[in-house]
Amino acid sequence: MNLVPHLPALQVVLPLLVAPILVLLRDARLCWLAALATSVTGLCIAIAITGQVLDGETLRYAMGGWAEPHGIGLRVDELSTVLLLVVNGASTLALLGGRASLLEQVGEPRQNLLFAAWLLAVAGLSGILVSADAFNIFVFMEISSLASYILIAGGPSRRALPAVFKYLIAGTVGATFYLIGVGMVFMMTGTLNISDMELRLAEVGDTNVIIVAAGFITIGLALKAAVFPLHAWMPNAYAFSPHIVTAFIAACSTKVALYVLLRMDFFVFQKNLVNHEWQFAFVLMPLAAFGILFGSIAAVFEQNIKRALAFSSLAQIGYILLGASLITVAGFNAAVLHLFNHALAKGALFLAVAGIGMRFAHLRLDEVRGAGRRMPWTLTAFAVAGLSLVGIPGTAGFVSKWALILAVLDRGGLGVALLVLIIVSSLLAVVYVGRIVEALWFGEPAGKDQAVREAPPMMLVATWIAVAANLWFGLDASLPGELAGRAAEDFLRHLP
Amino acid sequence: MNHILNLFNYWVFVLLLMIGFYAVIARDNLVKKLLGLSIFQAAVFLLFISMGKVSGGTAPIVLDGDWDAIFSNPLPQVLILTAIVVGISTLALGLAIVVRIKEAYGRISDVDAPERRSGPP
Amino acid sequence: MSSGLLIALALGLPLAGAVLIGLLGRWPNVRETVTLVTALALAVCVWSLVPEVMDGARPVLRVGQMMPGFVIAFEVEPLGTMFAALASGLWIVNSVYSIGYMRGNREANQTRFYACFAIALAATMGVAFAGNLLTLFLCYEALTVSTYPLVSHKGDSATVRSARVYLGILIGASIGLLLPAILWTQHLAGTLDFEVGGILDGRVTGVATGFLLGLYVFGIAKAAIMPVHRWLPAAMVAPTPVSALLHAVAVVKAGVFTVTKVVTYTFGIDFLAGQSHVDWVTPLAAFTILAASAVALAQSNLKRLLAYSTISQLSYIVMAASVLAPMSLTGAAVHMVSHAFGKITLFFAAGAIYVASKKTELYQLHGIGRRMPWTMAAFTLGALSMIGVPPTAGFVSKWYILGGALQAENRIAVFTLVASTALNAAYFLPIIYRAWFRDEQQAPAPEHGEAPWPMVLALTVTAGLTLAFFLFNQPVIELARQLVVM
């Protein structure tokens, strides 16, 4: 049987099928192996899909042989490919390095449930990316969210619970807003298929209902994607979840929500609503700018490493949104590139943090001072990934920042102001990454604990693979560049 | 006046949505927040269901080969069936978390605040 | 061996060395052998590129596409060859010296030190051979980042504070000023390649030219033009081998090298000569020369004095380049070499004094020449070279710079050269006098003689180079002329 045409479906179905099996398994190691194997297979599928997408056209798949728009369709284009790689790559690396850390933080008896939830999250996130149907996106969004709540609630500190509760409320409200918007569009067009929606909206484009629907969808997704100022749930959810879970969630979950935002706002609404660009110029762009500034400044003053990195994520989400809200090909290209590159940088950083977290009970700066002397490999990885976050040339972060700045400069006077903003926030990034690295390497060790030693080898391997990816895609960005470039061209076709 | 009556279902939707949303935002008690969330979601369910209703339409079942009968649109109901399942799961998970919060903190409201003062992590 | 492979080796060898050093950290002797072997191999690679370049070849190596339209490329041209040959050659001497210094001082974290040092050298090679502005920027930043752990090596709070200043100014200037300048250039010219005659001719005029040049001159903070010079004295908290090779040769020369490259290949000398809003560079450089010399006069710490002297000497190069006369440009290139020999000798001597006697301040140096004759003899030669007294290296380059200044009838430059020579003499001669002709106030607590032999060997070699360069400078001048002829 030839599986190749079924790859988009398998991407979702495989983890979805393995997850319940894991619940039945008792042995923690076996569960981990099964989850890792599933994730690796998922990554291979994503790579195979990437190959196909790079070769030619958008992949389409009709579930059960029922043709779109009546059947449920799957659809994979360049934009979704980028994120499929991110989701499955982050899951694989986090699982590869994370066994010891998860055992320590979540406890042995609950490993099977943990990995089951993990695979459900992977399935949900992948499902969002391959879906061609707005309602299915909602369902997958909820599957991935529910699974993520479970993962985050596994954190060892009791503060994980209020954090995850907050996330649950925010996430559900966001998803429900999205559902309201989709319902209104459905009311006007009678379809849930995204491509179909785009065509049929042309007839009803400028009605109030559609405008309100677009607003609901944008706000709901912005809440899920932690766009400033709707980010209140994020810092604590990242800070108190198990470290490895943070590495996985931070690399992809907000980005997938952003993906849906881009997909709906740019591919569906942009063409059909007169003056829709106002939404970007007067709402999303200022929010992105404030988010960049606020996130960077908050990160500078934050004492907890994970919270500092969470605030930095807020700023990075701002970059992505800023690029997109320029509504130019170059800007969209930069946004997609940054989706990919920021996931690389943040994933690597949180993996390194997970390594530190195995040796220190608390991740406050004053407690982990001087850790670099005892765990140099982990902290070298942290430093290099930090450079990528700052956007030092030679790392992936530079490539997307460069693309973003070039895109911004096309906007004349406003562009210069935005350039200044990007430069300032980059300098702030130097400060917040620098002070963490400085404390880790050159601070006087606070504790007397001689037990501090290098992170486990698997963790180091995973971290360094992520770091190597940062360097590789910093020096040769042809793969993400190609995908982002094509996604941007595709986006151009959806403009009026 | 007619305007209001004709759009009756939407007014209910808006009212329920607001009631639910208010509870989510304004209540400290976590269970009440969840109740608000449920009302909030139920409002959306009603919106979908009511939009599928066609005046004078029957259930979308072909009886006696009568293809010309006016049906209500069945799709929203199917969708909302899924959404209800999602909503139930969310509620269940939320309540489970509340139980754990009660175990860990001994209370189910105002759990974020005292962390600033003292207490072990 | 093909020249492309040689370039790749020049970049790859130190990196490979760094990884090996990191892995072999447990066996210090093996680790140091790796450093020495890497340094030797690197020098062989770089030096075997020299004959080709002197024959007019321009070997190219394309590494990969960073993003559409931006290729990471390396191209060997005369100035870069000179810089790379200089840095790689001195790395050998410096490694010998490092071994003596680090062991003599019982420094901690030596593995990190040697590994970062090797990475810094790789970055230096990258700067020297960079084929376009983006590649240059990439390596420039890599150099900043890789030297940060070296500066903050000691790890106490004062050192970390200084290192913060170091990183803050260098990264701040490069992201805040240099990056916008590069972006602007890309926006104007559509390319970032280095081309003979520049890429900006006709694309920018008037005040904008001056502004862009300003972004470059201040953005390249490694050239230490005032007021972005503060990082250099701050960097003096580093172990002396770092100050000697990196902050007297590799890093600072990377700065002036970048300025020179931008002036010649991005703007183009002829283009700049025809512009009216760019004539502020010469007075600024002249001011830096004189002001830094004046500040040096007031220093009591030997290494800080040398740092300010470096600031002033670097501005000689910038000033020479900004005079825009062929002869002064030759002088700029030659001064990169001659200052390197002299200043590394001075730093070596300062480090030797510190290791042997733990003395760092000028007033402690009474009569030290009698205890450490080799060291102080080398110091004297280095100081004479800084002043520009024959028969030392400094004389050669000053001669060319002065010649160029006279050729261009640039009165500011001529005056600055004369005045700064006097100032140089005013702060170096008292040290020499004190070391040789004054008596020790009291005998040092533990008696000491010379520093460990690897250090003495190293500083003798560089002092010898300072002398030798006076006589055997033909190849360097030949290379420098090629720069002008193009």
Side-chain angles (χ1 to χ4, degrees):
Chain A
M1 187 173 129
N2 182 14
L3 285 178
V4 173
H6 300 289
L7 285 180
L10 282 175
Q11 182 89 73
V12 187
V13 170
L14 188 70
L16 210 53
L17 283 181
V18 178
I21 299 174
L22 288 190
V23 177
L24 301 175
L25 292 178
R26 286 274 160 241
D27 185 54
R29 170 181 286 268
L30 202 60
C31 280
W32 172 72
L33 269 178
L36 181 62
T38 313
S39 191
V40 169
T41 317
L43 182 60
C44 293
I45 295 175
I47 291 170
I49 289 179
T50 311
Q52 291 182 4
V53 169
L54 278 177
D55 274 347
E57 284 304 292
T58 305
L59 299 188
R60 284 180 175 281
Y61 183 85
M63 283 309 247
W66 298 89
E68 288 182 59
H70 301 294
I72 295 171
L74 302 185
R75 179 177 185 282
V76 185
D77 60 8
E78 289 84 357
L79 183 57
S80 20
T81 319
V82 170
L83 281 150
L84 277 179
L85 288 175
V86 166
V87 168
N88 288 285
S91 156
T92 303
L93 281 183
L95 283 174
L96 179 69
R99 190 175 121 75
S101 175
L102 285 172
L103 263 182
E104 185 181 293
Q105 289 203 294
V106 184
E108 174 133 17
R110 288 190 284 168
Q111 294 285 307
N112 56 342
L113 302 175
L114 174 88
F115 287 124
W118 186 294
L119 288 185
L120 286 179
V122 174
L125 292 169
S126 308
I128 297 173
L129 298 171
V130 299
S131 264
D133 178 296
F135 189 78
N136 281 348
I137 287 181
F138 164 76
V139 175
F140 280 124
M141 202 145 69
E142 284 308 85
I143 291 177
S144 70
S145 299
L146 287 169
S148 329
Y149 306 148
I150 297 170
L151 290 175
I152 293 171
S157 152
R158 68 172 186 170
R159 296 190 63 187
L161 298 168
V164 85
F165 190 84
K166 208 171 184 182
Y167 183 18
L168 182 138
I169 298 285
T172 309
V173 170
T176 310
F177 268 39
Y178 171 78
L179 190 60
I180 296 173
V182 170
M184 289 173 159
V185 176
F186 176 66
M187 210 152 68
M188 297 302 285
T189 62
T191 182
L192 289 169
N193 185 293
I194 290 183
S195 319
D196 211 25
M197 230 182 227
E198 185 193 346
L199 297 179
R200 293 207 204 171
L201 268 180
E203 299 154 24
V204 289
D206 254 336
T207 51
N208 280 342
V209 182
I210 296 301
I211 293 169
V212 172
F216 267 117
I217 288 178
T218 306
I219 292 175
L221 292 170
L223 191 55
K224 285 232 147 206
V227 171
F228 179 86
L230 303 173
H231 65 277
W233 58 269
M234 184 185 66
N236 278 350
Y238 281 13
F240 296 113
S241 64
H243 303 318
I244 286 295
V245 171
T246 316
F248 171 50
I249 301 268
C252 46
S253 87
T254 51
K255 307 216 169 40
V256 171
L258 264 182
Y259 156 86
V260 185
L261 181 77
L262 298 185
R263 172 78 72 202
M264 295 303 288
D265 263 336
F266 286 92
F267 288 42
V268 176
F269 291 126
Q270 181 56 33
K271 184 178 185 174
N272 295 312
L273 293 182
V274 179
N275 293 336
H276 190 240
E277 60 273 10
W278 287 6
Q279 179 185 331
F280 303 114
F282 295 120
V283 181
L284 287 185
M285 194 187 285
L287 287 187
F290 281 124
I292 292 171
L293 266 187
F294 176 82
S296 305
I297 293 172
V300 168
F301 291 104
E302 182 54 52
Q303 282 300 315
N304 181 310
I305 297 181
K306 280 174 88 180
R307 273 177 66 95
L309 292 179
F311 279 119
S312 140
S313 282
L314 179 62
Q316 307 292 327
I317 290 165
Y319 285 133
I320 299 168
L321 206 57
L322 178 64
S325 60
L326 294 170
I327 332 182
T328 58
V329 171
F332 200 80
N333 175 41
V336 179
L337 260 182
H338 202 62
L339 271 175
F340 185 79
N341 289 342
H342 173 242
L344 287 180
K346 233 358 123 36
L349 277 171
F350 273 120
L351 278 173
V353 167
I356 305 170
M358 289 207 64
R359 302 294 179 235
F360 291 88
H362 301 292
L363 288 173
R364 290 180 57 81
L365 265 191
D366 43 2
E367 308 216 7
V368 296
R369 272 180 316 196
R373 302 179 195 181
R374 301 195 182 274
M375 32 200 324
W377 287 100
T378 307
L379 291 183
T380 309
F382 185 92
V384 177
L387 294 180
S388 184
L389 188 64
V390 173
I392 297 289
T395 59
F398 175 72
V399 175
S400 43
K401 236 171 222 182
W402 178 272
L404 181 61
I405 293 179
L406 282 185
V408 155
L409 279 183
D410 289 338
R411 291 293 290 264
L414 175 66
V416 175
L418 291 174
L419 170 72
V420 172
L421 172 80
I422 295 172
I423 299 275
V424 166
S425 84
S426 296
L427 292 176
L428 286 170
V430 174
V431 176
Y432 65 70
V433 171
R435 66 193 266 277
I436 298 176
V437 169
E438 188 185 286
L440 286 171
W441 277 104
F442 302 107
E444 277 306 311
K448 47 274 135 209
D449 39 348
Q450 296 300 308
V452 176
R453 56 185 197 284
E454 194 54 84
M458 290 299 270
M459 181 87 95
L460 282 183
V461 169
T463 314
W464 275 95
I465 292 176
V467 170
N470 271 294
L471 294 175
W472 175 266
F473 290 117
L475 294 176
D476 179 11
S478 47
L479 170 73
E482 174 83 20
L483 287 173
R486 288 220 230 153
E489 279 170 30
D490 188 29
F491 157 68
L492 185 67
R493 282 199 292 276
H494 291 267
L495 287 184
Chain B
M1 196 60 200
N2 222 10
H3 211 62
I4 294 176
L5 283 180
N6 280 347
L7 299 174
F8 170 71
N9 57 329
Y10 297 121
W11 290 110
V12 172
F13 157 68
V14 169
L15 193 68
L16 284 177
L17 196 75
M18 286 302 126
I19 292 173
F21 202 41
Y22 174 79
V24 170
I25 292 171
R27 292 293 129 187
D28 253 350
N29 188 309
L30 300 185
V31 174
K32 288 184 184 167
K33 265 187 199 284
L34 285 177
L35 288 177
L37 200 64
S38 288
I39 298 172
F40 182 69
Q41 288 181 308
V44 183
F45 302 160
L46 287 178
L47 170 75
F48 268 80
I49 303 274
S50 62
M51 83 168 93
K53 172 71 181 168
V54 178
S55 306
T58 65
I61 302 167
V62 182
L63 283 179
D64 310 328
D66 180 12
W67 286 93
D68 296 329
I70 299 169
F71 302 131
S72 288
N73 188 347
L75 191 58
Q77 304 199 11
V78 179
L79 297 179
I80 288 316
L81 202 58
T82 316
I84 288 174
V85 174
V86 169
I88 298 269
S89 323
T90 312
L91 185 64
L93 182 63
L95 286 172
I97 292 170
V98 174
V99 170
R100 293 245 336 251
I101 288 178
K102 170 78 176 164
E103 285 168 7
Y105 288 80
R107 59 181 182 279
I108 53 166
S109 56
D110 200 28
V111 279
D112 254 345
E115 299 293 341
R116 271 167 244 137
R117 272 176 247 142
S118 65
Chain C
M1 226 184 309
S2 86
S3 41
L5 184 62
L6 281 176
I7 303 174
L9 278 176
L11 299 161
L13 273 175
L15 285 181
V19 173
L20 268 181
I21 290 167
L23 293 174
L24 298 172
R26 222 170 287 166
W27 303 280
N29 288 333
V30 185
R31 181 186 65 196
E32 264 77 303
T33 313
V34 171
T35 300
L36 284 174
V37 169
T38 313
L40 275 171
L42 174 65
V44 169
C45 286
V46 174
W47 286 78
S48 50
L49 277 168
V50 173
E52 249 183 280
V53 177
M54 290 188 78
D55 289 343
R58 299 287 177 268
V60 174
L61 172 72
R62 283 173 193 285
V63 176
Q65 203 178 25
M66 192 160 165
M67 45 194 131
F70 295 102
V71 181
I72 298 182
F74 296 95
E75 183 177 359
V76 182
E77 45 79 55
L79 193 63
T81 317
M82 194 189 292
F83 179 36
L86 179 70
S88 62
L90 288 178
W91 190 29
I92 306 174
V93 189
N94 195 70
S95 299
V96 175
Y97 181 85
S98 295
I99 295 168
Y101 182 91
M102 297 305 279
R103 296 193 172 184
N105 253 347
R106 296 195 181 74
E107 296 268 352
N109 296 319
Q110 294 200 17
T111 304
R112 184 177 79 202
F113 174 86
Y114 288 111
C116 287
F117 217 117
I119 297 175
L121 255 292
T124 309
M125 294 301 124
V127 170
F129 291 148
N132 56 45
L133 206 47
L134 195 70
T135 313
L136 181 64
F137 184 57
L138 195 161
C139 300
Y140 180 95
E141 293 291 58
L143 186 56
T144 309
V145 172
S146 60
T147 48
Y148 168 72
L150 294 171
V151 172
S152 55
H153 183 84
K154 214 164 162 193
D156 56 16
S157 61
T159 309
V160 171
R161 257 201 314 280
S162 285
R164 209 180 290 158
V165 173
Y166 176 80
L167 195 70
I169 293 179
L170 286 184
I171 292 265
S174 66
I175 291 184
L177 302 171
L178 180 56
L179 181 60
I182 294 175
L183 283 160
W184 193 0
T185 308
Q186 159 73 20
H187 203 69
L188 290 170
T191 173
L192 291 174
D193 291 343
F194 289 131
E195 275 168 30
V196 177
I199 52 177
L200 285 172
D201 194 2
R203 297 205 162 87
V204 58
T205 49
V207 184
T209 319
F211 191 65
L212 183 57
L213 185 66
L215 284 180
Y216 274 116
V217 168
F218 294 114
I220 304 167
K222 287 198 171 88
I225 292 280
M226 283 184 177
V228 285
H229 66 285
R230 286 290 305 279
W231 62 272
L232 190 52
M236 290 302 125
V237 295
T240 306
V242 176
S243 310
L245 183 58
L246 296 178
H247 299 121
V249 183
V251 173
V252 290
K253 296 289 160 25
V256 286
F257 172 77
T258 309
V259 172
T260 317
K261 268 214 126 148
V262 166
V263 166
T264 40
Y265 295 127
T266 302
F267 285 97
I269 293 180
D270 296 334
F271 167 64
L272 274 187
Q275 294 289 319
S276 51
H277 291 277
V278 296
D279 44 9
W280 50 271
V281 180
T282 312
L284 182 75
F287 171 77
T288 305
I289 294 175
L290 295 177
S293 301
V295 177
L297 266 178
Q299 296 299 314
S300 64
N301 179 297
L302 181 56
K303 276 179 79 179
R304 285 182 72 86
L305 179 143
L306 293 180
Y308 277 103
S309 158
T310 305
I311 295 173
S312 112
Q313 298 283 334
L314 289 174
S315 281
Y316 273 85
I317 301 173
V318 176
M319 185 177 81
S322 72
V323 164
L324 300 174
M327 197 167 165
S328 71
L329 209 58
T330 311
V334 177
H335 197 64
M336 275 175 58
V337 180
S338 67
H339 170 248
F341 289 151
K343 197 43 78 54
I344 200 170
T345 310
L346 288 169
F347 271 112
F348 279 172
I353 294 171
Y354 175 67
V355 169
S357 68
K358 299 287 167 206
K359 287 174 179 168
T360 56
E361 306 300 309
L362 295 184
Y363 61 82
Q364 297 170 320
L365 298 181
H366 290 288
I368 200 151
R370 286 171 233 167
R371 288 187 176 273
M372 313 177 67
W374 284 92
T375 305
M376 285 318 291
F379 186 93
T380 308
L381 274 176
L384 291 179
S385 177
M386 288 300 117
I387 302 167
V389 180
T392 58
F395 174 76
V396 182
S397 50
K398 268 200 182 167
W399 178 261
Y400 275 97
I401 297 176
L402 191 60
L406 289 171
Q407 205 175 38
E409 294 179 358
N410 194 323
R411 271 179 237 155
I412 300 176
V414 175
F415 167 76
T416 310
L417 280 168
V418 175
S420 79
T421 304
L423 282 169
N424 288 347
Y427 60 79
F428 273 122
L429 291 181
I431 306 175
I432 297 172
Y433 172 76
R434 193 176 286 169
W436 291 111
F437 302 111
R438 295 281 290 273
D439 289 324
E440 273 178 5
Q441 283 140 330
Q442 61 196 65
E447 283 290 321
H448 69 84
E450 287 283 1
W453 67 265
M455 305 176 73
V456 180
L457 176 68
L459 59 88
T460 313
V461 168
T462 53
L465 285 173
T466 313
L467 278 181
F469 188 74
F470 181 72
L471 299 172
F472 307 105
N473 49 25
Q474 217 45 48
V476 174
I477 290 174
E478 217 27 65
L479 272 176
R481 284 234 174 85
Q482 281 204 15
L483 178 76
V484 179
V485 169
M486 291 183 318

